Amino acid sequence: MKKALLLLMIFFPLFILAQQEDSVWFAQHYAKKEVTIPMRDGIKLFTSIYYPIDKNEKHPILLTRTPYSCAPYGSDKLDAANWYSYKKNYAREGYILIKQDVRGRWMSEGSFVNVRPFNANKKNSEIDEASDSYDTIDWLIKNLENNNGKVGVFGISYPGFYSTMAAASNHPALMAVSPQAPVTNWFIGDDFHHNGAFFQMDAFDFYSALGSGFGQPHPKPTAIPANSIGYPIHDNYHFYLTTGTLANLTKKLGDSVAFWKDLMSHPNYDTFWQARDARNATKNVKPAMLWVGGLFDAEDNWGAWNSYKAAEANNKGKDFNKLVMGPWYHGQWASNDGTHLGNVAFGSNTATWYQENIEIPFFNYYLKGKGDISKISEATIFLSGSNEWKQFAQWPPAEKQEKVLYLQSNGKLSWSIPTNINGFTSYLSDPSKPVPYTEDVHFNRTRNYMTDDQRFASRRPDVLVFQTDTLNEDVTVAGNVVADLITSISTTDADFVVKLIDVFPDYLSYTPIDIYAEKDAESKYPMGGYQMLVHGEIFRGRFRNSYEKPQAFTPGKIDEVKYKLGDVAHTFKKGHRIMIQIQSSWFPLADRNPQKFVDIYHAKESDFQKATINIFHNKTGSSKIILPVLK
């Protein structure tokens, strides 16, 4: 510990000094101005422009459109935080750097619409986020001095959604776009719903505790943050359990947030949600596209994988539509440290590798005509477990083969079909005692849960555990994992959570975190026998046949629940085991299913009931996990 403190004392002042030097350099070489840019319907959008003082060359434009504010406001105030990150490299390359408050947010005029639907057939003054992007780019090209006529757009999360929409604008000056962890579909896979199950913690936090004012009235432009509702206690499991129903959450939120009402009013995948699928905007996209995401992104992992796939399918033969997925939490690729997440180390600084070898060369090539991008593969994917970057000619890889892991009696998991006739395993799912998503007590949802140790869950009687024998060779999974459960339940509805887990050897020499400082033995997490969550996903059982038309279960009747867990890129090393855990709650990450076929968003306390869940694993009813194994 003393050595760690010594290293901190040595390197932290150097880090601060480097930040100060970057800020001084930026202030000496850049100026700022603020403008309002008119859209085709007359609405004006507030835009901050940081431009090089140097007039000796023409400069490319790099734009981010955001609902999160382009503060600090004031032409004399520079966005210093940007220059403490890798983005300082864009300044040193001479980019004109621009941030814009999107329509209806902060200092921009107009009405804000969450994930505003893309309109492919706009007429006259009709608008969407693609048209606002087009009009913004058009104004910038025509009005900014010393620009070279080339524009790039990038953004993470919600700004990733606006990046997708900007690409759909197809403005002739827009050369390159990088949607990163883009919000894509808020019902099937991103943020607020996963396979129809409501992610209440993220949704409620987003629309209340962040104080961001999302969905609240915006009568005029303002730089003042909205008031937050806040939480009365600091244990999220306890808060959501004692609050009870979603109807009670609605009461806490009040009636000022319009989109919360939309969430409560559209329980199925109806036209409201279908129109808000950002993949609708990926047809006939002209700019070069670089899709980026994190394997362990707790928010928009689904969007990165599936937006890329949609753009690939909708733009046959497109020269540059490529994918990068690293071992990152939400936005970690834009940080200074991509060495680890939670207790799991990645063997190198994957974030700086990406910045230096992928993103900056991408924009330099298309906006400055500089460098070589021939080494950027179709899919650049990090394999966790083996901790290595792999380049693939397509995703999913052509080399993958589907291999089936069958659930067996006595908690076994094997590549062979069960031979017994009546095998099944049962558990009792009790909504009053839901399975926590993480072992620790937290105020906010953690990002580390995506690689957390699952031993706490495997010890619960309402979590089924199946695992292989010790692996005799490496098994690399690359592609979409599918859970195919044969089940019967005692009620009319239930959720199913399936977790794919890497079980480390019991005796393991492993340095989990902090490659820059040594830790004393007592502070190291015990990694022997660690049950690393590789990927988990929930599915609301009523949607097993259709997201649009939910269907009740018949109590006691055997049924099939088959769904995609999502894309995985992980190597289970020789000497490890593959584990599957199955449960029916993941709380308070996802809301509790009453286990009764009712409108969950308006369910009463009396609707919640216990359910006996049977998972079959026999010759005629063989529950299984389908793995895309790389050969």
Side-chain angles (χ1 to χ4, degrees), residues 13 35 38 48-49 83 97 258 272 386 423 426 439 470 477 497 531-532 544 590 603:
V35 300
S48 294
I49 301 170
W83 323 122
L97 301 162
F272 175 86
S386 58
S426 301
E439 183 174 20
T470 301
V477 177
V497 179
Q531 296 177 7
M532 173 190 168
R544 64 197 180 282

Side-chain angles (χ1 to χ4, degrees), residues 343-344 455 504-506 508 510-512 525-531:
N343 296 308
V344 177
R455 280 178 281 198
F504 292 14
D506 288 334
L508 180 69
Y510 187 88
T511 304
Y525 190 90
M527 298 299 288
Y530 192 87
Q531 296 177 7

Side-chain angles (χ1 to χ4, degrees), residues 101-406:
D101 289 336
V102 298
R103 179 181 293 258
R105 294 290 293 157
W106 298 92
M107 289 295 288
S108 286
E109 298 176 351
S111 298
F112 176 71
V113 175
N114 272 286
V115 286
R116 190 188 303 269
F118 173 67
N119 180 1
N121 300 301
K122 291 178 288 292
K123 298 177 182 178
N124 303 320
S125 61
E126 292 179 343
I127 63 94
D128 59 10
E129 301 303 341
S131 70
D132 281 358
S133 300
Y134 188 100
D135 295 347
T136 296
I137 293 169
D138 206 56
W139 188 95
L140 294 171
I141 290 296
K142 293 175 180 176
N143 290 277
L144 290 186
E145 295 181 357
N146 293 313
N147 80 79
N148 71 355
K150 295 182 179 182
V151 179
V153 176
F154 71 163
I156 298 171
S157 193
Y158 220 145
F161 165 82
Y162 292 107
S163 299
T164 302
M165 294 301 133
S169 76
N170 282 334
H171 191 287
L174 183 57
M175 301 289 109
V177 179
S178 182
Q180 301 178 5
V183 168
T184 301
N185 188 303
W186 271 354
F187 190 85
I188 295 176
D190 289 320
D191 292 307
F192 301 151
H193 292 89
H194 287 217
N195 296 308
F198 184 49
F199 269 42
Q200 60 177 5
M201 186 162 51
D202 278 7
F204 188 75
D205 191 50
F206 192 71
Y207 286 102
S208 65
L210 287 177
S212 58
F214 272 93
Q216 296 185 17
H218 181 266
K220 61 181 181 179
T222 180
I224 301 173
N227 292 326
S228 64
I229 293 172
Y231 294 82
I233 52 179
H234 290 261
D235 177 344
N236 55 22
Y237 186 96
H238 180 64
F239 170 75
Y240 285 100
L241 190 59
T242 54
T243 298
T245 66
L246 292 180
N248 289 338
L249 272 185
T250 298
K251 292 176 184 177
K252 288 182 179 294
L253 199 59
D255 60 1
S256 63
V257 180
F259 195 74
W260 182 268
K261 298 177 185 177
D262 292 332
L263 288 167
M264 298 300 105
S265 301
H266 297 278
N268 307 324
Y269 194 52
D270 56 16
T271 55
F272 175 86
W273 290 118
Q274 292 168 20
R276 284 162 173 77
D277 187 337
R279 292 176 297 177
N280 296 333
T282 61
K283 298 176 182 178
N284 191 33
V285 174
K286 301 301 183 186
M289 300 297 296
L290 180 68
W291 304 90
V292 181
L295 300 177
F296 305 115
D297 185 339
E299 297 168 48
D300 299 304
N301 167 278
W302 191 94
W305 289 113
N306 289 284
S307 291
Y308 160 76
K309 292 176 185 176
E312 194 70 7
N314 291 330
N315 300 270
K316 297 293 187 183
K318 183 173 175 58
D319 182 53
F320 199 104
N321 180 67
K322 302 193 176 184
L323 174 69
V324 181
M325 295 295 291
W328 302 310
Y329 62 72
H330 192 62
Q332 189 178 8
W333 53 91
S335 75
N336 294 315
D337 186 4
T339 60
H340 67 278
L341 176 57
N343 296 308
V344 177
F346 305 133
S348 63
N349 194 335
T350 59
T352 57
W353 183 90
Y354 156 76
Q355 295 155 14
E356 295 168 0
N357 292 279
I358 304 289
E359 184 185 298
I360 294 171
F362 168 71
F363 282 117
N364 277 347
Y365 180 82
Y366 282 103
L367 303 188
K368 300 185 69 176
K370 174 182 176 180
D372 179 14
I373 58 168
S374 62
K375 294 182 180 179
I376 301 179
S377 300
E378 177 69 19
T380 303
I381 311 295
F382 188 87
L383 295 179
S384 54
S386 58
N387 288 349
E388 57 184 334
W389 287 101
K390 288 288 188 181
Q391 284 74 41
F392 297 101
Q394 67 179 63
W395 187 268
E399 304 91 333
K400 73 173 179 66
Q401 297 179 5
E402 288 190 351
K403 293 194 67 176
V404 178
L405 271 175
Y406 293 93

